[in-house]
Amino acid sequence: MEKSLLMQDSWRSNHGYEAMLDFQMSWLMRLAAEKNVEKKRLHQISNEVLLRLIGLLDTPNVVIERVEVWRQWEHIDVIAEVEVVVDGEKQHHLVVIEDKAYTMIHDNQLERYSETVNAYYNGRHKKQYKIHCWVITFYDRDKNNKYWNMLDCKCKDLEWGLLSFYEVIGWEDGEFEDTESDLFNEFWLREWY
């Protein structure tokens, strides 16, 4: 695997990884909207990422019509309103993402975020959103990894999904073709250290 020029410098610190992931997730989800199809491979991956996050990856006839993303809304790393059409029927989904690179979940963080999101998005004057909450970690899914296991237990208790960095893009087997985007390739497909 090639070294990343984007994510590697002489400092070799992981400080800032979460902020970079916030921007990348925002960008990928917005690219999934049907109007962004210039780079076919990148569009395909961004589509798969978003459909994975809203639980429609294996659903045929899904058109992603609108994606609007905010970073750090109410201290939540990333939140995205997604409008899709499935077999002619419009659906509203909400993706809530908390990144974990170098800290554990703290101060009832996920519970507070769930309460805030539910209060705002499913109040009586709002459209009904199907809410999908995720923790994305830079640790690999590994039964021997204490950090992963603690996150996994916490997420299951609170009905949050847990994905490792590479599971986000569907790359669990170690090989992935470059896309038309150097930015995507440097962040997702290159070695950081």
Side-chain angles (χ1 to χ4, degrees):
M1 179 185 287
E2 292 178 48
K3 300 278 186 191
S4 172
L5 294 176
L6 176 67
M7 296 303 296
Q8 179 177 256
D9 57 23
S10 297
W11 181 248
R12 301 213 189 269
S13 167
N14 63 5
H15 184 71
Y17 283 4
E18 290 181 1
M20 290 293 289
L21 182 59
D22 291 350
F23 280 102
Q24 280 283 325
M25 290 305 299
S26 173
W27 177 61
L28 279 180
M29 288 189 289
R30 287 180 285 118
L31 282 174
E34 288 298 318
K35 61 185 173 189
N36 297 310
V37 294
E38 299 103 30
K39 297 180 179 179
K40 292 191 184 313
R41 179 75 177 124
L42 181 62
H43 179 69
Q44 175 192 352
I45 292 167
S46 63
N47 234 317
E48 290 171 4
V49 166
L50 186 57
L51 294 176
R52 180 176 294 109
L53 294 173
I54 63 173
L56 295 176
L57 184 58
D58 297 322
T59 303
N61 304 320
V62 178
V63 176
I64 300 168
E65 288 202 332
R66 184 183 68 83
V67 179
E68 197 166 353
V69 183
W70 293 265
R71 288 175 297 100
Q72 296 302 316
W73 177 79
E74 298 292 331
H75 304 287
I76 298 169
D77 288 333
V78 178
I79 192 164
E81 293 178 5
V82 180
E83 189 175 288
V84 298
V85 176
V86 181
D87 289 327
E89 183 181 323
K90 192 170 285 202
Q91 298 179 5
H92 296 93
H93 294 265
L94 188 75
V95 178
V96 179
I97 297 173
E98 177 61 26
D99 309 324
K100 289 297 170 193
Y102 32 77
T103 61
M104 262 314 276
I105 296 166
H106 53 83
D107 302 326
N108 296 319
Q109 194 174 21
L110 300 183
E111 294 96 326
R112 286 184 291 112
Y113 294 167
S114 292
E115 289 171 9
T116 300
V117 164
N118 280 309
Y120 185 80
Y121 278 92
N122 285 331
R124 54 187 171 155
H125 299 297
K126 299 287 179 185
K127 298 175 200 164
Q128 289 298 310
Y129 283 84
K130 182 166 184 191
I131 299 173
H132 311 272
C133 297
W134 294 96
V135 172
I136 298 174
T137 182
F138 288 95
Y139 289 93
D140 291 330
R141 184 180 296 271
D142 180 355
K143 292 180 181 173
N144 297 320
N145 185 318
K146 180 181 174 183
Y147 184 80
W148 176 273
N149 291 333
M150 289 187 316
L151 272 174
D152 192 36
C153 287
K154 185 71 168 173
C155 288
K156 283 178 181 170
D157 287 346
L158 299 171
E159 299 180 359
W160 280 59
L162 177 62
L163 291 172
S164 71
F165 177 76
Y166 289 118
E167 287 174 320
V168 171
I169 61 168
W171 181 34
E172 292 104 29
D173 299 327
E175 289 297 322
F176 210 83
E177 291 179 30
D178 278 3
T179 69
E180 310 89 338
S181 168
D182 289 337
L183 182 60
F184 178 90
N185 298 341
E186 283 291 319
F187 186 79
W188 293 98
L189 306 181
R190 302 295 183 258
E191 186 177 339
W192 291 8
Y193 34 102

